[in-house]
């Protein structure tokens, strides 16, 4: 309240709201205000977390009005409202933004751009089967190892032995021991880059852990064997390396979108820069570098080379022939069916949504 009254010299402000479920399964609403000072420098003030029993448009609107009143903020001075794309928030008739606009038509609604970027990545995961399968395997791997203290103890033991085997000094041992498998999140996509990195850094450890569980655990051995077949696979490892390169670029944009100092002009420039950076990977040299890197890892770990999946054919009574085009080699197959569609889909989606 003190910050609002002393710094809000121009009177007008924007309002940012998001809701999530906490560990006790209660809906918590986080609320910020955003404004500029007399030098037009942007500021954000966190007003707090507020518990709510329901998340319908009317309840959230009343909650927002009560919070504004408690901080001495007049809703008529609101010039912007920023929410995610949930129907209760952005609904044109009974959503929060439409109810606020009835009281103040000048309160422009803006869909949160960090959520928009997340939607671009969600579309990517849904549209490209290799990406969807890779994230599914990552989630299964994390849940399998972390769900059991016994299996997690095997992972840490193998990690420590693997590190000692290579003769690392004690300082590095401590550092490596801190690198563990990371969980995925449907809403925080920057967690996914950390999950990918953690698996790539612990790839041999994961192989050895699952092998040991398979041979020693009568209860979970079959699950470990199935999971091991899924990750000791060229497609999985190649997809991890490609996603790591691409998500590093989108993660930089994601972090900037969460900065209190960001504005639309700089966000637009950052989005364009991200698009151009992703497009720069659409060349043979970048693809070949990632292909060779993955092939070397597979050769080092004695994994099977990549293969073109068995192609379905049109029945002879309907004319015969292949349903899919004939690929010159397996490298061409991965480029046409995974690498280029991934890049094109992501750049087009960001271009349209931003």
């Amino acid at each position: 309240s003190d910050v609002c009254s002393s710094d809000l010299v121009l009177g007008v402000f924007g309002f940012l709201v998001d809701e999530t479920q906490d560990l006790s399964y209660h809906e918590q609403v986080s609320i910020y205000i955003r404004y500029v000072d007399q030098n037009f420098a942007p500021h954000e003030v966190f007003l707090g977390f507020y518990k709510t029993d329901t998340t319908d448009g009317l309840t959230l609107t009343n909650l927002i009005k009560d919070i504004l009143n408690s901080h001495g903020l007049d809703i008529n001075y609101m010039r912007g409202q920023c929410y995610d794309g949930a129907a209760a928030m952005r609904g044109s008739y009974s959503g929060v933004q439409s109810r606020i606009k009835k009281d103040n038509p000048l309160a422009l609604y803006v869909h949160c751009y960090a959520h928009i970027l997340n939607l671009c990545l969600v579309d990517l995961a849904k549209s490209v089967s290799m990406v969807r399968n890779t994230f599914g395997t990552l989630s299964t791997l994390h849940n399998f190892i972390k769900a059991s203290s016994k299996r997690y103890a095997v992972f840490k033991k193998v990690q420590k032995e693997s590190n000692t085997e290579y003769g690392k000094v004690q300082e590095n041992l401590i550092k490596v021991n801190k690198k563990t498998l990371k969980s995925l999140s449907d809403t925080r996509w920057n967690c996914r880059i950390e999950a990918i990195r953690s698996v790539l850094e612990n790839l041999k450890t994961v192989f050895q852990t699952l092998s040991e569980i398979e041979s020693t655990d009568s209860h979970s051995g079959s699950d470990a064997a199935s999971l091991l077949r899924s990750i000791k696979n060229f497609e999985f490892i190649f997809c991890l390396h490609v996603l790591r390169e691409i998500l590093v670029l989108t993660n930089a944009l994601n972090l900037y979108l969460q900065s209190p100092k960001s504005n639309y002009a700089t966000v637009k420039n950052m989005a364009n820069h991200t698009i151009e950076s992703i497009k720069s990977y659409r060349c043979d040299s970048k693809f070949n570098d990632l292909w060779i890197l993955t092939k070397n890892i597979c050769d080092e770990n004695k994994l099977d080379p990549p293969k073109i999946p068995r192609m379905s054919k049109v029945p002879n009574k309907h004319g015969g022939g292949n349903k899919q085009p004939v690929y010159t080699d397996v490298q061409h197959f991965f480029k046409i069916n995974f690498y280029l569609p991934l890049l094109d889909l992501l750049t087009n989606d960001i271009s349209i949504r931003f």
Side-chain angles (χ1 to χ4, degrees):
S1 300
D2 294 337
V3 174
C4 296
S5 60
S6 61
D7 291 349
L8 208 59
V9 293
L10 299 182
V12 297
F13 61 92
F15 207 65
L16 295 85
V17 178
D18 196 11
E19 73 280 346
T20 188
Q21 194 178 77
D22 61 18
L23 293 176
S24 58
Y25 303 103
H26 294 143
E27 288 292 338
Q28 297 279 355
V29 180
S30 61
I31 297 181
Y32 293 78
I33 64 165
R34 182 177 173 90
Y35 62 93
V36 295
D37 59 24
Q38 56 188 354
N39 297 317
F40 292 97
H43 299 274
E44 283 186 7
V45 176
F46 176 59
L47 299 185
F49 287 110
Y50 298 88
K51 180 181 174 181
T52 180
D53 294 328
T54 57
T55 56
D56 61 277
L58 178 60
T59 301
L60 292 174
T61 302
N62 291 334
L63 176 64
I64 289 172
K65 290 179 179 179
D66 291 341
I67 294 168
L68 288 176
N69 291 331
S70 66
H71 287 83
L73 297 170
D74 189 345
I75 194 172
N76 292 312
Y77 288 98
M78 184 188 294
R79 291 297 180 267
Q81 43 179 330
C82 181
Y83 318 122
D84 60 18
M89 307 303 293
R90 67 175 299 180
S92 301
Y93 299 101
S94 57
V96 172
Q97 66 94 9
S98 63
R99 293 176 184 274
I100 294 291
K101 277 189 173 181
K102 289 178 182 178
D103 294 332
N104 179 9
L106 298 178
L108 177 67
Y109 165 67
V110 178
H111 188 174
C112 173
Y113 273 82
H115 284 86
I116 290 176
L117 180 59
N118 281 339
L119 291 176
C120 295
L121 299 172
V122 168
D123 288 346
L124 176 68
K126 289 181 178 178
S127 303
V128 182
S129 60
M130 288 188 189
V131 177
R132 182 178 65 248
N133 296 340
T134 297
F135 281 130
T137 302
L138 283 175
S139 179
T140 303
L141 175 63
H142 173 268
N143 294 336
F144 178 75
I145 292 180
K146 289 292 190 72
S148 166
S149 58
K150 181 180 177 181
R151 293 194 291 268
Y152 185 67
V154 174
F155 172 80
K156 297 301 291 184
K157 177 179 72 70
V158 173
Q159 187 184 57
K160 184 176 180 179
E161 291 174 352
S162 175
N163 190 64
T164 305
E165 180 183 346
Y166 287 98
K168 301 288 183 70
V169 295
Q170 187 66 24
E171 292 181 55
N172 287 337
L173 178 62
I174 297 173
K175 183 179 179 181
V176 171
N177 280 342
K178 292 182 179 178
K179 295 179 181 178
T180 186
L181 300 181
K182 307 292 184 181
S183 62
L184 303 181
S185 171
D186 292 331
T187 55
R188 295 183 65 245
W189 270 75
N190 57 327
C191 293
R192 303 204 170 205
I193 181 64
E194 296 301 326
I196 291 172
R197 283 172 175 164
S198 66
V199 170
L200 288 175
E201 291 173 0
N202 290 290
L203 196 58
K204 287 187 177 181
T205 300
V206 171
F207 289 162
Q208 295 174 19
T209 299
L210 294 177
S211 296
E212 183 170 333
I213 294 173
E214 177 188 4
S215 59
T216 60
D217 193 328
S218 59
H219 178 70
S220 303
S222 59
D223 293 332
S226 176
L227 194 52
L228 189 59
R229 286 192 295 271
S230 297
I231 66 173
K232 294 186 79 170
N233 179 289
F234 183 93
E235 177 183 309
F236 175 74
I237 298 174
F238 180 68
C239 193
L240 285 183
H241 281 100
V242 173
L243 288 173
R244 180 181 62 178
E245 296 294 319
I246 301 305
L247 291 183
V248 164
L249 301 176
T250 59
N251 193 48
L253 176 59
N254 184 51
L255 293 175
Y256 184 77
L257 288 171
Q258 299 176 49
S259 170
K261 303 300 181 183
S262 62
N263 58 63
Y264 181 76
T266 52
V267 165
K268 186 64 176 177
N269 290 335
M270 280 288 294
N272 290 335
H273 176 73
T274 301
I275 292 171
E276 293 303 316
S277 298
I278 296 173
K279 286 182 177 179
S280 69
Y281 276 79
R282 204 183 190 283
C283 61
D284 290 339
S285 61
K286 293 286 189 181
F287 175 82
N288 291 335
D289 289 343
L290 293 168
W291 184 270
I292 293 172
L293 174 62
T294 305
K295 190 174 184 303
N296 290 338
I297 292 175
C298 291
D299 292 342
E300 182 182 349
N301 291 277
K302 299 180 181 180
L303 306 185
D304 294 334
K307 298 178 182 178
I308 298 178
R310 182 172 177 268
M311 298 296 172
S312 58
K313 294 184 177 182
V314 178
N316 290 331
K317 64 180 180 180
H318 296 307
N322 294 317
K323 286 186 178 180
Q324 294 91 358
V326 178
Y327 301 98
T328 56
D329 54 34
V330 65
Q331 194 168 344
H332 182 235
F333 170 80
F334 272 83
K335 182 186 292 184
I336 298 301
N337 284 275
F338 165 63
Y339 187 74
L340 295 181
L342 181 150
L343 299 178
D344 292 343
L345 178 65
L346 189 55
T347 53
N348 290 337
D349 216 3
I350 294 178
S351 299
I352 292 172
R353 293 180 183 269
F354 280 77

